[in-house]
């Protein structure tokens, strides 16, 4: 069965610094998609970044980038120049067909 | 509409009562999902609709839970004889029927069972 593990229940970072959130997953599939979603207190789930497993190049979206290690089944999220608005729960998710499998989330705290 | 909408935003009910939660997906999105998020937890898959195909109900936790999708658009999640453990945020999402496409989420309904 596919599983997604986020080992950091909470992380804190100083504003303007860089932080990395960890995610590992377990699957026997070779073709799949990985996502990072952000959930602020408003509850609205917002897509941060997406990675296709067949692409070796790491996805990047402005200050957000991933380190995708397919052999190690690792998919970490790096946030550069952290801003107060980045404070939220961050969820890693995996999908092969239509169902998303979610990690338990990491609460990110930004210190001003 | 511009995004996925859900109603009500919050629902407080007494144990044993039935509740209905509504989801309006983005127009043209044939795929619709319901998830449950308990306090401090990740999302738990409940049910998936795709067009006119039979829904995947494999995530529904008990037979007290059911969902319908009328006309391929609006969906209603019904919980009968609510229990305190049903208290959670229920999130709806919709997407195009493409494998790698992103899901667009609604703001959720926070259900509190007293």
């Amino acid at each position: 069965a596919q599983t997604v593990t986020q080992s950091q229940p909470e992380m804190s970072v100083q504003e303007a610094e860089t932080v990395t959130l960890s995610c590992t997953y377990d699957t026997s599939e070779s073709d799949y998609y990985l996502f990072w979603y952000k959930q602020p207190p408003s509850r609205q789930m917002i897509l941060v970044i997406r990675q296709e497993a067949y692409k070796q190049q790491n996805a990047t979206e402005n200050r957000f980038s991933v380190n995708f290690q397919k052999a190690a089944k690792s998919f970490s999220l790096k946030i550069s120049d952290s801003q107060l608005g980045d404070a939220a729960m961050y969820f890693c998710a995996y999908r092969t067909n239509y169902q998303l499998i979610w990690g338990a989330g990491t609460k990110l705290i930004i210190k001003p | 509409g511009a995004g996925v909408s859900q109603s009500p935003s919050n629902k407080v009910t007494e144990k044993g009562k039935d509740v209905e939660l509504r989801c309006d997906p983005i127009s043209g999105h044939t795929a619709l999902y319901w998830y449950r998020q308990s306090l401090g937890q990740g999302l738990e898959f409940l049910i998936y609709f795709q067009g006119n195909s039979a829904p995947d109900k494999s995530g529904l936790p008990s037979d007290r839970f059911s969902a319908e999708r009328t006309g391929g658009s609006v969906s209603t999640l019904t919980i009968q004889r609510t229990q305190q453990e049903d208290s959670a945020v229920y999130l709806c999402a919709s997407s195009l029927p493409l494998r790698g496409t992103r899901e667009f989420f609604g703001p959720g309904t926070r259900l509190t069972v007293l």
Side-chain angles (χ1 to χ4, degrees):
Chain A
Q2 295 104 353
T3 59
V4 176
T5 302
Q6 293 180 250
S7 59
Q8 306 152 317
E10 185 175 297
M11 291 282 284
S12 63
V13 63
Q14 204 72 36
E15 190 177 4
E17 297 293 310
T18 295
V19 64
T20 298
L21 308 184
S22 301
C23 174
T24 59
Y25 57 96
D26 188 21
T27 184
S28 58
E29 303 285 337
S30 60
D31 189 15
Y32 49 87
Y33 297 83
L34 296 163
F35 303 82
W36 277 99
Y37 278 89
K38 167 185 176 181
Q39 188 180 41
S42 66
R43 294 198 312 246
Q44 186 72 53
M45 198 68 78
I46 301 165
L47 177 67
V48 175
I49 201 163
R50 180 180 71 174
Q51 176 79 42
E52 297 163 76
Y54 66 86
K55 287 188 176 179
Q56 293 187 340
Q57 186 174 7
N58 289 324
T60 299
E61 288 288 342
N62 301 314
R63 299 183 293 107
F64 299 86
S65 61
V66 298
N67 183 3
F68 174 47
Q69 301 289 328
K70 191 172 184 179
K73 296 178 184 175
S74 171
F75 183 61
S76 60
L77 175 69
K78 185 172 83 171
I79 306 173
S80 304
D81 185 26
S82 298
Q83 300 176 1
L84 294 178
D86 295 334
M89 285 291 293
Y90 285 80
F91 293 94
C92 177
Y94 160 100
R95 178 163 70 196
T96 52
N97 292 314
Y98 56 82
Q99 190 181 132
L100 278 170
I101 310 297
W102 297 80
T106 297
K107 182 178 181 179
L108 179 63
I109 298 168
I110 311 294
K111 299 177 183 177
Chain B
V4 179
S5 60
Q6 291 186 246
S7 60
S9 178
N10 291 282
K11 176 72 175 178
V12 180
T13 190
E14 294 180 347
K15 178 181 174 181
K17 295 286 181 69
D18 297 352
V19 295
E20 285 190 351
L21 312 180
R22 178 186 168 105
C23 172
D24 282 272
I26 292 173
S27 178
H29 282 190
T30 58
L32 187 146
Y33 309 75
W34 282 99
Y35 294 92
R36 179 168 70 175
Q37 186 178 27
S38 301
L39 186 62
Q41 302 290 316
L43 274 65
E44 174 190 10
F45 168 78
L46 296 178
I47 189 169
Y48 165 73
F49 294 92
Q50 172 49 52
N52 295 322
S53 301
D56 177 355
K57 304 179 181 180
S58 62
L60 295 178
S62 77
D63 58 10
R64 296 186 296 105
F65 288 72
S66 63
E68 290 185 342
R69 189 175 185 191
T70 55
S73 182
V74 172
S75 178
T76 301
L77 177 68
T78 301
I79 308 173
Q80 296 178 311
R81 305 181 303 281
T82 52
Q83 304 294 312
Q84 289 184 331
E85 60 263 29
D86 299 335
S87 296
V89 174
Y90 290 82
L91 289 165
C92 175
S94 71
S95 74
L96 294 170
L98 301 172
R99 193 152 163 268
T101 192
R102 60 167 291 188
E103 295 175 12
F104 291 80
F105 283 82
T109 294
R110 181 178 296 280
L111 175 65
T112 303
V113 183
L114 302 177

